[in-house]
Amino acid sequence: MCGIVGYIGNKQAADILVEGLSRLEYRGYDSAGIAVYGEDGLKIVKTMGRMDDLRKNLNEFGKPVGSVGIGHTRWATHGEPSDINSHPHKIGRVTLVHNGIIENYVTLKKALADAGRTFISSTDTEVAVQLIDSLYNGDPLAAITAALEQLHGSYAFGILFDDIPDTIYAVRKDSPLVVGLGEGENFIASDIPAVLKYTREYILIEEKEIAIIRRDGVKILDVKGNEIKKDTFKASWDIEAAEKGGYPHFMLKEIHEQPKTLRATISPRLQNGPAGILKEEIDDTLKMERLLIVACGSAMHTGLLGKNAIEKLARVPVDVHIASEFRYSDPIMKQGDAMIIISQSGETADSIAALRLAKQRGIPVYAIVNVVGSTIAREADYVIYTWAGPEIAVATTKAYSAQAATLYMLALRMAVDRKTISDERANQLFNALNELPDKVAEILDNNMAHYEKLAAMNKDVHDLFYIGRGQDYALCCEGSLKLKEISYMHSEAYAAGELKHGTISLVTEGVPVVAVATDDSITEKTISNIKEVKARGAFVIYVCKKGAAAEGDFYDALIELPVTDEVLMPIVAIVPLQSYAYYTAVCKGCDVDKPRNLAKSVTVE
């Protein structure tokens, strides 16, 4: 949510800021703006709307000239989307951009207003600007550190001071911010894609560290003013990886990248046989008596798949929790428990809170994340990187598959360690994991036109349902979420066996039902449920293994899947569900990569 970019160097800042913000559009936003220092002082251009609206204003009113500036894309939390509420905010001598939420802004706003300060916006961010300006007496560090003592909540700030036009100040708490390092120029950004065109070198700002960014160098201080020596990281991918590569949308590109992503996730971990899987990341799985998987959205759905695989193979009980609910439910955690946090960005606010609660309780935390050096990666006891590469589309596809594959590898490793499966079964799964990228490539090579045709047939319906049992139900949850996220079509996933307990009343003539059956042990039961919805007039799209649909009287359209090990079938089966959602959104004319009201990285509660 929200995006921050800052630049100081010898180039024109406006162009770099606009380009950087454009590369952060995937984070979700409803307004945008930049502030640039030049010979005529500070100039701010900002607007409600998309980056195209900001470009239009810049063309109409003129780009600010200068080589120092900050920019922002806002996702509204406090205060409606509007030109006034857009960032940057300037009060007195202080200009600021902000990602996060100031939780005590009402109290601070009242105190500042009582002291004679007048507010012009309805944002919590303006409270931070007003506060820093009220504390500023020529010493920016003193003003910032004094403000931090009073501000509660989450924030990443980029700050300019009128009388110090050759310096950008930055600070963060619970919201991501990186400093990009160049030659004669430096940057700040919410995420590294914003500055990849100019540098792959960056450092991470930790909680309440203050970065002082100048053309010729960067200094990081703690809140007491002590300088901190920081490690430098190098992005493992370049700007080309963050481009569409000829695809009309990032989402379609990322769907097609899944074979490559799965190879990157799986292959390096299969070099030493089943017993060697994840050995570098995890020393011992035998101490785990119970697993708590905590995640949000699609990552939580991969947790459901992981639960099925771990319990089936390793016989370890697994509880899956929605991160935003977890710490408010007074969760029971005890010795022998371990937690797995799953997050693409590694910056999901609710997941970070769950991680910290577990560590307070003395529970070891394993992180499955994509972004190297992210908050969750740094704070967890053990980290398993998915190596999915940059995922730009808001609706996750390849990161989801990589997370699921990681959980399957963990399930196999736990089963081998605990000797809950035979050597023969372990080798079967090991070989199937090795072949999994090719199975996904097979379904991508031959079927996209079919998914597009099905999407066109159903694009105007009001409701669509997904049904399945066991791991197929978990898969249906993700398929339904994908459709809702990007096509705005009402869709729900139901456990097929629960239909008779109320929800079959929603099935009427012509309502599409996507029925998934990849688990041979319960396919007969699922088909029985499919016949129930078919008898009530549903238009059934049947998703099953290749060759498993000989009898065709209970479905109207068929999606056949390459056959792999039953446990791994959800990774193959998700591809047509992702593709169906994608083409439905395209047929409806939706903004596929930037769906309304959504953000890629949810960095606030």
Side-chain angles (χ1 to χ4, degrees):
M1 291 181 174
C2 302
I4 290 174
V5 178
Y7 173 76
I8 182 166
N10 298 306
K11 302 183 179 78
Q12 287 300 314
D15 292 332
I16 294 171
L17 296 175
V18 169
E19 181 179 25
L21 293 176
S22 297
R23 297 192 183 280
L24 295 178
E25 286 187 282
Y26 66 88
R27 295 178 68 86
Y29 72 106
D30 47 53
S31 57
I34 62 172
V36 175
Y37 270 126
E39 293 181 359
D40 299 326
L42 185 79
K43 183 175 181 181
I44 295 176
V45 181
K46 58 182 183 175
T47 182
M48 181 180 72
R50 293 292 192 179
M51 287 300 300
D52 284 343
D53 298 302
L54 178 61
R55 292 186 187 95
K56 181 179 178 182
N57 280 5
L58 290 168
N59 290 333
E60 183 175 348
F61 301 112
K63 291 180 184 177
V65 176
S67 57
V68 181
I70 53 177
H72 189 265
T73 50
R74 176 179 187 250
W75 194 87
T77 53
H78 296 72
E80 64 183 6
S82 70
D83 291 353
I84 290 175
N85 288 336
S86 303
H87 299 209
H89 287 284
K90 176 174 170 53
I91 300 295
R93 293 172 289 176
V94 180
T95 304
L96 181 146
V97 291
H98 167 218
N99 178 15
I101 291 177
I102 307 302
E103 294 176 353
N104 62 333
Y105 81 100
V106 173
T107 303
L108 292 174
K109 186 172 184 177
K110 183 179 185 304
L112 289 163
D114 289 346
R117 295 222 154 220
T118 301
F119 287 78
I120 59 176
S121 79
S122 54
T123 68
D124 57 330
T125 298
E126 188 185 344
V127 172
V129 193
Q130 293 269 14
L131 178 62
I132 293 172
D133 185 65
S134 72
L135 296 167
Y136 184 52
N137 60 4
D139 184 342
L141 290 175
I144 292 170
T145 53
L148 297 186
E149 292 178 2
Q150 299 184 50
L151 293 169
H152 300 161
S154 62
Y155 47 79
F157 294 142
I159 311 169
L160 299 174
F161 292 86
D162 279 357
D163 50 344
I164 312 175
D166 62 348
T167 306
I168 299 173
Y169 295 85
V171 63
R172 68 166 288 255
K173 176 182 176 291
D174 294 335
S175 290
L177 200 64
V178 302
V179 176
L181 305 175
E183 294 290 334
E185 58 185 7
N186 291 297
F187 311 80
I188 61 170
S190 298
D191 203 350
I192 195 66
V195 298
L196 267 181
K197 181 177 178 179
Y198 304 97
T199 182
R200 292 169 63 185
E201 305 284 336
Y202 65 97
I203 58 177
L204 298 162
I205 306 176
E206 302 287 351
E207 299 287 285
K208 290 192 174 182
E209 290 178 350
I210 301 170
I212 304 171
I213 300 105
R214 300 188 175 95
R215 290 177 178 84
D216 57 356
V218 173
K219 185 182 292 187
I220 310 293
L221 308 177
D222 63 20
V223 290
K224 295 181 179 180
N226 301 310
E227 187 169 356
I228 304 168
K229 184 174 176 58
K230 303 290 290 185
D231 293 329
T232 300
F233 295 87
K234 186 172 184 178
S236 58
W237 39 277
D238 56 23
I239 193 63
E240 291 182 3
E243 299 286 358
K244 292 179 184 175
Y247 288 93
H249 298 98
F250 280 111
M251 183 176 179
L252 185 60
K253 174 180 180 255
E254 288 157 8
I255 288 172
H256 280 268
E257 285 178 338
Q258 286 176 109
K260 177 184 175 182
T261 296
L262 287 168
R263 288 188 188 94
T265 302
I266 297 171
S267 296
R269 275 104 180 200
L270 300 187
Q271 301 303 310
N272 298 303
I277 293 175
L278 299 175
K279 277 289 188 184
E280 292 185 6
E281 291 96 341
I282 300 174
D283 292 330
D284 184 14
T285 69
L286 295 174
K287 294 178 182 177
M288 300 178 187
E289 297 176 7
R290 181 180 70 137
L291 276 175
L292 306 171
I293 296 180
V294 182
C296 299
S298 294
M300 188 272 291
H301 294 158
T302 67
L304 295 174
L305 296 177
K307 169 185 169 69
N308 180 78
I310 292 168
E311 290 186 341
K312 182 176 290 188
L313 297 172
R315 310 307 295 165
V316 174
V318 179
D319 296 330
V320 180
H321 297 269
I322 299 170
S324 58
E325 294 287 320
F326 180 73
R327 63 191 169 119
Y328 300 113
S329 64
D330 194 16
I332 298 172
M333 289 183 273
K334 59 186 185 300
Q335 189 174 1
D337 289 349
M339 178 180 286
I340 298 176
I341 297 283
I342 311 171
S343 170
Q344 189 282 139
S345 68
E347 300 292 350
T348 310
D350 290 312
S351 298
I352 292 170
L355 181 156
R356 290 172 178 169
L357 178 60
K359 296 200 73 170
Q360 288 172 12
R361 303 273 185 92
I363 303 302
V365 178
Y366 298 76
I368 297 176
V369 296
N370 188 35
V371 179
V372 176
S374 56
T375 299
I376 290 173
R378 297 198 306 276
E379 295 191 14
D381 298 294
Y382 307 93
V383 183
I384 307 172
Y385 286 114
T386 56
W387 304 120
E391 188 176 66
I392 306 301
V394 168
T396 183
T397 51
K398 65 177 185 175
Y400 169 92
S401 297
Q403 290 166 355
T406 302
L407 287 164
Y408 288 140
M409 287 189 289
L410 177 61
L412 176 54
R413 163 74 188 285
M414 291 176 67
V416 170
D417 284 358
R418 292 163 179 269
K419 303 187 186 307
T420 51
I421 59 175
S422 66
D423 290 345
E424 180 184 8
R425 179 68 180 122
N427 287 324
Q428 286 175 348
L429 274 166
F430 180 84
N431 292 332
L433 276 165
N434 211 15
E435 296 168 357
L436 191 58
D438 294 330
K439 298 293 183 180
V440 173
E442 182 181 339
I443 199 166
L444 286 167
D445 288 343
N446 302 318
N447 299 285
M448 301 305 279
H450 181 47
Y451 311 143
E452 186 173 9
K453 180 180 178 181
L454 289 175
M457 292 170 61
N458 293 316
K459 68 181 178 66
D460 294 322
V461 301
H462 294 289
D463 307 283
L464 189 146
F465 302 107
Y466 292 75
I467 61 172
R469 286 174 176 259
Q471 66 182 20
D472 293 328
Y473 168 60
L475 181 69
C476 286
C477 291
E478 176 62 11
S480 178
L481 177 60
K482 280 291 144 295
L483 192 69
K484 284 182 279 197
E485 282 179 313
I486 61 173
S487 76
Y488 319 138
M489 184 185 293
H490 172 250
S491 169
E492 299 295 340
Y494 294 113
E498 285 293 294
L499 287 170
K500 291 189 291 293
H501 296 276
T503 52
I504 201 167
S505 64
L506 298 171
V507 178
T508 56
E509 189 70 32
V511 169
V513 174
V514 178
V516 184
T518 69
D519 185 340
D520 293 342
S521 67
I522 50 176
T523 292
E524 258 187 41
K525 297 290 186 183
T526 303
I527 289 175
S528 176
N529 301 133
I530 297 170
K531 289 180 176 180
E532 290 169 353
V533 298
K534 182 62 180 168
R536 287 154 179 82
F539 178 90
V540 175
I541 301 172
Y542 184 43
V543 184
C544 65
K545 295 176 182 177
K546 192 172 292 185
E551 183 187 349
D553 64 339
F554 60 90
Y555 60 85
D556 300 280
L558 178 65
I559 294 175
E560 290 190 298
L561 307 169
V563 178
T564 185
D565 190 282
E566 203 163 84
V567 172
L568 306 180
M569 281 301 299
I571 289 185
V572 177
I574 192 57
V575 177
L577 303 190
Q578 294 168 343
S579 304
Y580 179 76
Y582 168 79
Y583 284 115
T584 301
V586 170
C587 288
K588 292 170 71 71
C590 300
D591 191 343
V592 174
D593 288 335
K594 299 185 287 291
R596 69 188 181 201
N597 302 332
L598 297 182
K600 183 66 175 174
S601 178
V602 183
T603 56
V604 296
E605 285 194 69

